[in-house]
Amino acid sequence: MAPISKNDLLGAATRFFDGSPVNYLDAGAALRPDLAGMRFFGAPLLGAAAAGDPLFEQMKDGSVVGPLFMSPGEWLPGARTVLSFFCPFDGRIVAANRGGGAEIPPEWLHGRIEGQVALGAMLAAIQKLLSDSGFAAVVPMLDERYTSAHKTDPLSRGGGELPDYTSSWSERHVAYICGLGTFGLSRGLITKLGTAGRFGSIITDMPVEADARPYSRYDEYCTMCGECAAQCPVGAIDVKKGKDIAACADFLQSTREKHDPRYGCGKCNVGVQCAVGIPGAQ
């Protein structure tokens, strides 16, 4: 089996977002007529980590993701590589969500929901590319084994305590391990293209050289400027106290009740200095 290069994979993902109809809003689903054809994602970033990186096992700690987290080898026996994509939202989506207030614009709602469908389709296409080249691959977010839970849910592995919110795979934490960025005060991941976008990953037995993590601290790119706190419509972010995940989740649920089947917020990911890049980076 001849390995596909990392650039081949990134190129395939970029071409998918350029040419696939799923990355553009169908007129029949548009909440406003002028949104028909709106693009969801621009060209993505791609980072890679060795499946055996010890940080994956650390994710099982209750202070990180929690005991539900499955290591790459648990998802795919013989796994060698984890690939993480950051897919930045199109500028139209980001611009529409700037500004205060609790109203979430249709552009962002579409990006969060129909955009997630586009992200899943891209990952499935890359999975097929790997499979057609003779390599096994798993997309955790599309796998029936993926699960998430609140600490009150009767789910645990090995009897461990659950943090407030946990899951069997965390796209942001995986992206951190793959060298794509570090966490901000809002708990978004700050990449060189910013925070306004979505993450997705693939586990494969194809060997890919791991990317070096150009940081040594989990929150290295965050300046603690507090801009995201000011943007939050429910005051769920505080420079001293951090983020109140429950308050954030409650607000997201209120948007679901208002816009069902769509929901979303993302106010802390727009109109801030880390929205489209690393603060202070040249």
Side-chain angles (χ1 to χ4, degrees):
M1 294 182 290
I4 311 164
S5 74
K6 182 183 173 186
N7 283 339
D8 291 335
L9 297 171
L10 182 58
T14 300
R15 289 190 296 275
F16 181 92
F17 283 145
D18 282 342
S20 174
V22 75
N23 193 39
Y24 298 84
L25 181 60
D26 182 80
L31 292 173
R32 293 198 320 258
D34 64 296
L35 298 181
M38 181 181 72
R39 181 183 174 108
F40 299 125
F41 298 112
L45 299 175
L46 174 58
D53 191 308
L55 282 184
F56 286 113
E57 287 298 322
Q58 292 181 30
M59 296 299 104
K60 297 184 179 185
D61 189 283
S63 65
V64 191
V65 180
L68 287 183
F69 187 87
M70 294 169 58
S71 67
E74 290 177 293
W75 285 101
L76 177 67
R80 299 184 66 176
T81 304
V82 178
L83 302 165
S84 176
F85 291 89
F86 173 65
C87 307
F89 280 134
D90 183 80
R92 181 178 181 181
I93 294 175
V94 177
N97 204 24
R98 291 194 186 110
E103 187 58 37
I104 311 303
E107 290 90 340
W108 191 271
L109 294 171
H110 282 308
R112 176 63 184 85
I113 303 306
E114 283 87 354
Q116 189 71 14
V117 173
L119 171 58
M122 181 276 286
L123 293 171
I126 300 301
Q127 180 185 34
K128 184 177 186 304
L129 174 61
L130 289 164
S131 177
D132 289 347
S133 300
F135 298 99
V138 169
V139 179
M141 74 163 59
L142 301 179
D143 194 284
E144 62 182 9
R145 292 171 293 171
Y146 176 81
T147 187
S148 61
H150 183 266
K151 65 180 177 182
T152 59
D153 294 338
L155 292 173
S156 65
R157 301 174 69 217
E161 288 292 325
L162 292 180
D164 286 349
Y165 294 89
T166 186
S167 58
S168 54
W169 191 249
S170 170
E171 299 296 350
R172 289 173 299 123
H173 288 83
V174 168
Y176 170 82
I177 296 172
C178 290
L180 287 183
T182 76
F183 289 87
L185 177 64
S186 69
R187 296 201 183 181
L189 201 77
I190 304 171
T191 76
K192 68 179 182 180
L193 295 181
T195 61
R198 302 294 295 169
F199 292 91
S201 56
I202 299 174
I203 303 166
T204 179
D205 61 2
M206 187 184 86
V208 177
E209 183 178 357
D211 289 298
R213 289 187 283 272
Y215 37 78
S216 57
R217 200 178 68 247
Y218 77 95
D219 60 353
E220 191 166 313
Y221 294 161
C222 182
T223 64
M224 298 294 286
C225 67
E227 290 179 355
C228 60
Q231 289 284 104
C232 180
V234 291
I237 305 171
D238 184 273
V239 173
K240 294 182 179 180
K241 298 179 182 179
K243 186 171 183 178
D244 184 337
I245 300 297
C248 177
D250 287 344
F251 179 70
L252 283 176
Q253 179 59 28
S254 74
T255 69
R256 187 192 300 271
E257 293 168 358
K258 184 175 182 179
H259 301 289
D260 187 61
R262 299 176 182 85
Y263 67 94
C265 178
K267 293 290 187 179
C268 58
N269 290 319
V270 299
V272 295
Q273 59 180 304
C274 60
V276 293
I278 300 169
Q282 300 298 316

